[in-house]
Amino acid sequence: TATFKGVSKVREYQVKVLKEEAQLPTPKEIIDNAKKLVVVPEEVKDTFTLPVLLEGVAIKWSSSNTSYITISGSKATVKRPTDSDVTVTLTATFTYSSVVDTEKYQVKVISFRHQWLWLYRHYIEKFIYKNILKLIIDQRKMTTVTSKW
């Protein structure tokens, strides 16, 4: 009701009362959620990609051994060892707003030794199979020739 110079007017309004808004997550909670989304391979042989932005969280990567894994932006370049596998620690630095947190990931770089063993075994088996097959064919030819005598 509004009154002005003795004249009153009544007007009705509908008011909608909203529920209390849910509390927004803190920057630390946002970083923790982003950490859950990070997927880093446990074993590598080739170049792979790392996330650099998740849910608005910036991620910067570093390698504990740049002889085997070097990182430039999202690209992780792998140089495989020749003798034995090597484990490298990748450190992710998460930044959101002014909050910074880190997480470490272990990655095994698979050596060429495994590849050479596989190739060696593959070619040896192929060589043996080919020569045994040839020997069997040659023996059949000899048997056939012998049976004609």
Side-chain angles (χ1 to χ4, degrees), residues 38 40 50-51 59-65 69 71 88-94 101-107:
V38 172
V40 176
L50 294 165
I59 308 168
K60 184 172 178 164
W61 294 90
S62 62
S63 170
S64 67
N65 193 334
I69 298 179
I71 300 170
V88 177
T89 301
L90 300 184
T91 302
T93 303
F94 297 83
D101 199 3
T102 60
E103 189 78 25
K104 295 185 183 295
Y105 302 89
Q106 300 295 315
V107 179

Side-chain angles (χ1 to χ4, degrees), residues 41-48 68-69 76-81 85-86 107-116 118:
E42 292 179 7
E43 296 183 346
V44 294
K45 295 179 184 176
D46 297 309
T47 297
F48 59 100
Y68 299 106
I69 298 179
T77 303
V78 176
K79 182 179 178 193
R80 293 172 66 185
D85 300 344
V86 175
V107 179
K108 183 189 289 185
V109 181
I110 304 299
S111 72
F112 277 114
R113 178 176 53 96
H114 299 292
Q115 183 174 350
W116 293 124
W118 180 85

Side-chain angles (χ1 to χ4, degrees), residues 9 51-52 103 110 116 122 149:
K9 288 279 187 175
V52 292
E103 189 78 25
I110 304 299
W116 293 124
H122 173 73
W149 283 20

Side-chain angles (χ1 to χ4, degrees), residues 10 15 20 24-25 37 47 54-56 69 73 83 86-87 101 113:
V10 175
V15 176
E20 184 179 330
L24 295 175
L37 300 175
T47 297
L54 287 173
E55 305 289 318
I69 298 179
D83 297 336
V86 175
T87 299
D101 199 3
R113 178 176 53 96

Side-chain angles (χ1 to χ4, degrees), residues 5-20:
K5 293 186 181 181
V7 178
S8 295
K9 288 279 187 175
V10 175
R11 181 159 244 171
E12 289 185 30
Y13 295 94
Q14 287 189 353
V15 176
K16 185 176 182 181
V17 179
L18 300 174
K19 291 181 181 179
E20 184 179 330

Side-chain angles (χ1 to χ4, degrees), residues 37 61 63 70 98-99 102 108 113 125 133 136 139 144:
L37 300 175
W61 294 90
S63 170
T70 57
S98 60
V99 178
T102 60
K108 183 189 289 185
R113 178 176 53 96
E125 286 175 357
L133 190 59
I136 291 170
Q139 284 180 347
T144 305

